[in-house]
Amino acid sequence: MSLEIERKFTVVDGWQVPPGSTGEQLRQAYLSPRGALVEFRVRSRRNARVMTVKTFDAASGAMVRQEVEFEIDEAAFAQLWELADGDCLSKYRWNVPLEHHVATVDEYDGTLAGLRVVEVEFDSVEEARSFRPPDWFGEEVTGSPAWSNRELAASARGVPDEQGETR
């Protein structure tokens, strides 16, 4: 099991993909219910299919999660995708070099088209806290449930939340 330490931000309007950036198409589906403390996800990227299990590390705050990830075959991926019952999303992920880090910018497809967020992963909580985002980073949304990919996948299909409201 590994720790994922990251901060997440919106991306300001007018941002352009800088030269030297690389990217790939991702599809992911969520198997755990909204608001669950443990998140189960399957992801397809290039020729790889992976299952990921994430849980928040309550002692370290919203930017730290425990993560287990392992490859699965195409048949298992397809079956798990169906079990997600539409809680899915598609996005293009850009890897943008920063001075000491790599920013991953997600540009969403489908009903989320036009939405962009950026994440930066760190080796320690101290490093994450001392990070100063560049000007093209917008509002910080680290730990905001509404900005989690799990919630975005559900809202992309209009799934009602716990109160029966559709976002």
Side-chain angles (χ1 to χ4, degrees):
M1 186 172 346
S2 62
L3 284 182
E4 176 186 69
I5 304 167
E6 70 181 12
R7 290 177 61 189
K8 188 174 194 173
F9 302 82
T10 60
V11 176
V12 298
D13 290 338
W15 176 79
Q16 298 293 318
V17 178
S21 301
T22 59
E24 64 184 334
Q25 187 70 38
L26 303 174
R27 292 184 316 133
Q28 48 198 61
Y30 293 86
L31 302 161
S32 49
R34 293 169 80 181
L37 296 176
V38 178
E39 179 181 283
F40 295 88
R41 173 190 80 201
V42 291
R43 175 184 280 169
S44 168
R45 56 186 279 216
R46 291 186 226 136
N47 295 325
R49 309 295 177 264
V50 295
M51 173 79 167
T52 305
V53 180
K54 293 185 180 188
T55 183
F56 287 99
D57 182 356
S60 300
M63 74 175 89
V64 179
R65 296 189 287 183
Q66 295 178 4
E67 178 180 75
V68 176
E69 190 168 81
F70 51 92
E71 286 198 37
I72 58 175
D73 64 28
E74 182 65 40
F77 176 84
Q79 291 174 28
L80 292 167
W81 186 273
E82 288 300 316
L83 289 176
D85 196 29
D87 281 357
C88 310
L89 55 81
S90 175
K91 60 188 178 179
Y92 197 85
R93 172 165 284 174
W94 292 101
N95 298 305
V96 180
L98 298 177
E99 187 174 336
H100 299 291
H101 300 93
V102 173
T104 56
V105 177
D106 290 340
E107 291 189 85
Y108 293 87
D109 300 326
T111 59
L112 296 172
L115 179 64
R116 293 183 304 196
V117 297
V118 57
E119 298 174 346
V120 179
E121 290 195 16
F122 303 94
D123 292 329
S124 70
V125 171
E126 295 75 27
E127 182 184 16
R129 287 185 177 138
S130 67
F131 175 72
R132 298 294 169 246
D135 292 345
W136 58 272
F137 283 37
E139 173 189 0
E140 182 161 11
V141 294
T142 302
S144 173
W147 287 92
S148 74
N149 279 307
R150 171 68 190 96
E151 288 299 313
L152 292 173
S155 67
R157 70 180 207 129
V159 173
D161 62 16
E162 299 79 17
Q163 289 78 37
E165 305 272 332
T166 301
R167 292 195 242 171

